[in-house]
mmCIF file of all heavy atoms in Angstrom:
data_model
loop_
_atom_site.group_PDB
_atom_site.id
_atom_site.type_symbol
_atom_site.label_atom_id
_atom_site.label_comp_id
_atom_site.label_asym_id
_atom_site.label_seq_id
_atom_site.Cartn_x
_atom_site.Cartn_y
_atom_site.Cartn_z
ATOM 1 N N LEU A 25 128.377 87.981 98.870
ATOM 2 C CA LEU A 25 127.447 86.833 98.558
ATOM 3 C C LEU A 25 126.993 86.921 97.139
ATOM 4 O O LEU A 25 126.789 85.872 96.464
ATOM 5 C CB LEU A 25 126.283 86.864 99.539
ATOM 6 C CG LEU A 25 126.644 86.505 101.026
ATOM 7 C CD1 LEU A 25 125.512 86.875 101.917
ATOM 8 C CD2 LEU A 25 126.977 84.990 101.096
ATOM 9 N N GLY A 26 126.855 88.116 96.621
ATOM 10 C CA GLY A 26 126.497 88.298 95.188
ATOM 11 C C GLY A 26 127.559 87.787 94.259
ATOM 12 O O GLY A 26 127.309 87.117 93.235
ATOM 13 N N ARG A 27 128.757 88.028 94.659
ATOM 14 C CA ARG A 27 129.950 87.505 93.897
ATOM 15 C C ARG A 27 129.906 85.953 93.932
ATOM 16 O O ARG A 27 130.144 85.369 92.871
ATOM 17 C CB ARG A 27 131.229 88.028 94.662
ATOM 18 C CG ARG A 27 132.498 87.749 93.940
ATOM 19 C CD ARG A 27 133.590 88.632 94.532
ATOM 20 N NE ARG A 27 134.230 88.152 95.718
ATOM 21 C CZ ARG A 27 134.673 88.867 96.734
ATOM 22 N NH1 ARG A 27 134.477 90.198 96.704
ATOM 23 N NH2 ARG A 27 135.255 88.286 97.791
ATOM 24 N N LEU A 28 129.627 85.371 95.090
ATOM 25 C CA LEU A 28 129.537 83.912 95.193
ATOM 26 C C LEU A 28 128.363 83.462 94.321
ATOM 27 O O LEU A 28 128.469 82.421 93.541
ATOM 28 C CB LEU A 28 129.317 83.521 96.643
ATOM 29 C CG LEU A 28 129.068 82.058 96.919
ATOM 30 C CD1 LEU A 28 130.177 81.158 96.407
ATOM 31 C CD2 LEU A 28 128.867 81.845 98.403
ATOM 32 N N ARG A 29 127.213 84.110 94.360
ATOM 33 C CA ARG A 29 126.064 83.766 93.544
ATOM 34 C C ARG A 29 126.424 83.711 92.066
ATOM 35 O O ARG A 29 126.087 82.713 91.356
ATOM 36 C CB ARG A 29 124.918 84.763 93.811
ATOM 37 C CG ARG A 29 123.814 84.817 92.775
ATOM 38 C CD ARG A 29 122.848 83.700 92.919
ATOM 39 N NE ARG A 29 122.323 83.656 94.278
ATOM 40 C CZ ARG A 29 121.199 84.278 94.644
ATOM 41 N NH1 ARG A 29 120.552 85.027 93.798
ATOM 42 N NH2 ARG A 29 120.739 84.220 95.869
ATOM 43 N N GLU A 30 127.066 84.705 91.568
ATOM 44 C CA GLU A 30 127.425 84.854 90.175
ATOM 45 C C GLU A 30 128.267 83.607 89.721
ATOM 46 O O GLU A 30 128.022 83.039 88.760
ATOM 47 C CB GLU A 30 128.159 86.151 90.003
ATOM 48 C CG GLU A 30 128.945 86.320 88.759
ATOM 49 C CD GLU A 30 128.097 86.877 87.631
ATOM 50 O OE1 GLU A 30 126.969 87.341 87.937
ATOM 51 O OE2 GLU A 30 128.513 86.777 86.411
ATOM 52 N N PHE A 31 129.313 83.337 90.604
ATOM 53 C CA PHE A 31 130.144 82.180 90.336
ATOM 54 C C PHE A 31 129.376 80.914 90.312
ATOM 55 O O PHE A 31 129.526 80.063 89.381
ATOM 56 C CB PHE A 31 131.259 82.097 91.375
ATOM 57 C CG PHE A 31 132.062 80.871 91.285
ATOM 58 C CD1 PHE A 31 133.111 80.748 90.381
ATOM 59 C CD2 PHE A 31 131.786 79.768 92.133
ATOM 60 C CE1 PHE A 31 133.834 79.601 90.221
ATOM 61 C CE2 PHE A 31 132.545 78.612 92.078
ATOM 62 C CZ PHE A 31 133.554 78.485 91.136
ATOM 63 N N LEU A 32 128.494 80.676 91.259
ATOM 64 C CA LEU A 32 127.761 79.432 91.371
ATOM 65 C C LEU A 32 126.815 79.271 90.160
ATOM 66 O O LEU A 32 126.693 78.190 89.578
ATOM 67 C CB LEU A 32 126.981 79.386 92.704
ATOM 68 C CG LEU A 32 127.859 79.254 93.935
ATOM 69 C CD1 LEU A 32 126.950 79.395 95.178
ATOM 70 C CD2 LEU A 32 128.584 77.945 93.975
ATOM 71 N N GLU A 33 126.114 80.362 89.825
ATOM 72 C CA GLU A 33 125.216 80.302 88.725
ATOM 73 C C GLU A 33 125.857 79.995 87.350
ATOM 74 O O GLU A 33 125.437 79.207 86.570
ATOM 75 C CB GLU A 33 124.376 81.621 88.593
ATOM 76 C CG GLU A 33 123.411 81.842 89.750
ATOM 77 C CD GLU A 33 122.211 80.929 89.791
ATOM 78 O OE1 GLU A 33 121.774 80.531 88.696
ATOM 79 O OE2 GLU A 33 121.735 80.589 90.915
ATOM 80 N N THR A 34 126.976 80.722 87.128
ATOM 81 C CA THR A 34 127.580 80.634 85.816
ATOM 82 C C THR A 34 128.548 79.493 85.672
ATOM 83 O O THR A 34 128.676 78.871 84.590
ATOM 84 C CB THR A 34 128.306 81.894 85.411
ATOM 85 O OG1 THR A 34 129.272 82.286 86.407
ATOM 86 C CG2 THR A 34 127.313 83.138 85.371
ATOM 87 N N THR A 35 129.327 79.185 86.697
ATOM 88 C CA THR A 35 130.390 78.262 86.622
ATOM 89 C C THR A 35 130.084 76.859 87.191
ATOM 90 O O THR A 35 130.404 75.821 86.632
ATOM 91 C CB THR A 35 131.678 78.847 87.318
ATOM 92 O OG1 THR A 35 131.868 80.129 86.801
ATOM 93 C CG2 THR A 35 132.885 77.971 86.975
ATOM 94 N N ALA A 36 129.443 76.847 88.413
ATOM 95 C CA ALA A 36 129.247 75.605 89.118
ATOM 96 C C ALA A 36 127.991 74.885 88.639
ATOM 97 O O ALA A 36 127.978 73.711 88.326
ATOM 98 C CB ALA A 36 129.230 75.857 90.594
ATOM 99 N N LYS A 37 126.879 75.655 88.604
ATOM 100 C CA LYS A 37 125.625 75.009 88.356
ATOM 101 C C LYS A 37 125.524 74.137 87.096
ATOM 102 O O LYS A 37 124.971 73.052 87.106
ATOM 103 C CB LYS A 37 124.513 76.067 88.424
ATOM 104 C CG LYS A 37 123.186 75.417 88.848
ATOM 105 C CD LYS A 37 122.209 76.450 89.315
ATOM 106 C CE LYS A 37 120.903 75.690 89.621
ATOM 107 N NZ LYS A 37 119.754 76.557 89.638
ATOM 108 N N PRO A 38 126.048 74.707 86.012
ATOM 109 C CA PRO A 38 126.010 73.896 84.809
ATOM 110 C C PRO A 38 126.710 72.532 84.878
ATOM 111 O O PRO A 38 126.425 71.635 84.079
ATOM 112 C CB PRO A 38 126.703 74.777 83.716
ATOM 113 C CG PRO A 38 126.682 76.151 84.245
ATOM 114 C CD PRO A 38 126.734 75.997 85.782
ATOM 115 N N LEU A 39 127.576 72.376 85.859
ATOM 116 C CA LEU A 39 128.358 71.127 85.951
ATOM 117 C C LEU A 39 127.792 70.047 86.883
ATOM 118 O O LEU A 39 128.071 68.865 86.705
ATOM 119 C CB LEU A 39 129.850 71.420 86.494
ATOM 120 C CG LEU A 39 130.662 72.435 85.656
ATOM 121 C CD1 LEU A 39 131.989 72.618 86.349
ATOM 122 C CD2 LEU A 39 130.929 71.862 84.246
ATOM 123 N N VAL A 40 126.999 70.511 87.826
ATOM 124 C CA VAL A 40 126.723 69.565 88.966
ATOM 125 C C VAL A 40 125.973 68.316 88.620
ATOM 126 O O VAL A 40 126.228 67.271 89.151
ATOM 127 C CB VAL A 40 126.115 70.335 90.180
ATOM 128 C CG1 VAL A 40 127.069 71.266 90.794
ATOM 129 C CG2 VAL A 40 124.833 71.010 89.813
ATOM 130 N N GLY A 41 125.011 68.461 87.692
ATOM 131 C CA GLY A 41 124.159 67.271 87.344
ATOM 132 C C GLY A 41 125.039 66.165 86.817
ATOM 133 O O GLY A 41 124.934 64.986 87.254
ATOM 134 N N ASP A 42 125.903 66.466 85.838
ATOM 135 C CA ASP A 42 126.792 65.391 85.241
ATOM 136 C C ASP A 42 127.736 64.842 86.209
ATOM 137 O O ASP A 42 127.912 63.611 86.268
ATOM 138 C CB ASP A 42 127.494 66.008 84.046
ATOM 139 C CG ASP A 42 126.639 66.248 82.835
ATOM 140 O OD1 ASP A 42 125.539 65.691 82.858
ATOM 141 O OD2 ASP A 42 126.989 66.935 81.903
ATOM 142 N N TYR A 43 128.363 65.699 87.035
ATOM 143 C CA TYR A 43 129.358 65.169 88.028
ATOM 144 C C TYR A 43 128.639 64.283 89.032
ATOM 145 O O TYR A 43 129.163 63.319 89.477
ATOM 146 C CB TYR A 43 130.081 66.343 88.692
ATOM 147 C CG TYR A 43 131.291 66.770 87.820
ATOM 148 C CD1 TYR A 43 131.188 67.702 86.856
ATOM 149 C CD2 TYR A 43 132.520 66.115 88.059
ATOM 150 C CE1 TYR A 43 132.334 68.085 86.109
ATOM 151 C CE2 TYR A 43 133.687 66.475 87.341
ATOM 152 C CZ TYR A 43 133.540 67.472 86.322
ATOM 153 O OH TYR A 43 134.624 67.785 85.612
ATOM 154 N N TRP A 44 127.443 64.745 89.428
ATOM 155 C CA TRP A 44 126.660 63.947 90.421
ATOM 156 C C TRP A 44 126.462 62.543 89.829
ATOM 157 O O TRP A 44 126.629 61.517 90.494
ATOM 158 C CB TRP A 44 125.352 64.681 90.677
ATOM 159 C CG TRP A 44 124.606 64.166 91.904
ATOM 160 C CD1 TRP A 44 124.613 64.716 93.156
ATOM 161 C CD2 TRP A 44 123.691 63.042 92.029
ATOM 162 N NE1 TRP A 44 123.812 63.976 94.008
ATOM 163 C CE2 TRP A 44 123.242 62.933 93.311
ATOM 164 C CE3 TRP A 44 123.253 62.044 91.074
ATOM 165 C CZ2 TRP A 44 122.389 61.988 93.779
ATOM 166 C CZ3 TRP A 44 122.377 61.061 91.518
ATOM 167 C CH2 TRP A 44 121.951 60.997 92.834
ATOM 168 N N GLU A 45 126.030 62.480 88.557
ATOM 169 C CA GLU A 45 125.738 61.224 87.919
ATOM 170 C C GLU A 45 126.928 60.338 87.898
ATOM 171 O O GLU A 45 126.864 59.122 88.151
ATOM 172 C CB GLU A 45 125.147 61.400 86.502
ATOM 173 C CG GLU A 45 124.563 60.159 85.954
ATOM 174 C CD GLU A 45 123.702 60.465 84.674
ATOM 175 O OE1 GLU A 45 123.954 61.501 84.045
ATOM 176 O OE2 GLU A 45 122.756 59.700 84.443
ATOM 177 N N ARG A 46 128.084 60.975 87.611
ATOM 178 C CA ARG A 46 129.325 60.156 87.519
ATOM 179 C C ARG A 46 129.952 59.840 88.862
ATOM 180 O O ARG A 46 130.850 58.992 88.966
ATOM 181 C CB ARG A 46 130.382 60.959 86.712
ATOM 182 C CG ARG A 46 130.017 61.159 85.253
ATOM 183 C CD ARG A 46 131.269 61.282 84.361
ATOM 184 N NE ARG A 46 132.133 62.423 84.753
ATOM 185 C CZ ARG A 46 132.050 63.639 84.270
ATOM 186 N NH1 ARG A 46 131.077 63.909 83.331
ATOM 187 N NH2 ARG A 46 132.815 64.588 84.612
ATOM 188 N N GLY A 47 129.467 60.434 89.921
ATOM 189 C CA GLY A 47 129.986 60.269 91.287
ATOM 190 C C GLY A 47 131.392 60.803 91.401
ATOM 191 O O GLY A 47 132.282 60.310 92.108
ATOM 192 N N GLU A 48 131.629 61.960 90.729
ATOM 193 C CA GLU A 48 132.930 62.636 90.824
ATOM 194 C C GLU A 48 132.773 64.032 91.275
ATOM 195 O O GLU A 48 131.703 64.637 91.152
ATOM 196 C CB GLU A 48 133.640 62.628 89.467
ATOM 197 C CG GLU A 48 134.055 61.174 88.986
ATOM 198 C CD GLU A 48 134.453 61.184 87.543
ATOM 199 O OE1 GLU A 48 134.553 62.256 86.938
ATOM 200 O OE2 GLU A 48 134.575 60.067 87.046
ATOM 201 N N PHE A 49 133.861 64.661 91.753
ATOM 202 C CA PHE A 49 133.804 66.077 92.174
ATOM 203 C C PHE A 49 134.415 66.940 91.055
ATOM 204 O O PHE A 49 135.477 66.557 90.503
ATOM 205 C CB PHE A 49 134.549 66.290 93.487
ATOM 206 C CG PHE A 49 134.312 67.625 94.084
ATOM 207 C CD1 PHE A 49 133.172 67.840 94.852
ATOM 208 C CD2 PHE A 49 135.104 68.691 93.838
ATOM 209 C CE1 PHE A 49 132.898 69.128 95.345
ATOM 210 C CE2 PHE A 49 134.848 69.990 94.359
ATOM 211 C CZ PHE A 49 133.710 70.181 95.085
ATOM 212 N N PRO A 50 133.775 68.061 90.752
ATOM 213 C CA PRO A 50 134.363 68.963 89.695
ATOM 214 C C PRO A 50 135.567 69.754 90.242
ATOM 215 O O PRO A 50 135.435 70.915 90.576
ATOM 216 C CB PRO A 50 133.213 69.854 89.357
ATOM 217 C CG PRO A 50 132.356 69.942 90.571
ATOM 218 C CD PRO A 50 132.538 68.588 91.255
#
Side-chain angles (χ1 to χ4, degrees):
L25 290 166
R27 185 162 87 216
L28 173 60
R29 161 78 54 89
E30 165 85 14
F31 170 81
L32 292 172
E33 292 289 329
T34 58
T35 311
K37 208 163 176 200
L39 301 178
V40 292
D42 286 344
Y43 274 89
W44 194 97
E45 192 165 27
R46 295 208 298 271
E48 291 168 11
F49 191 83

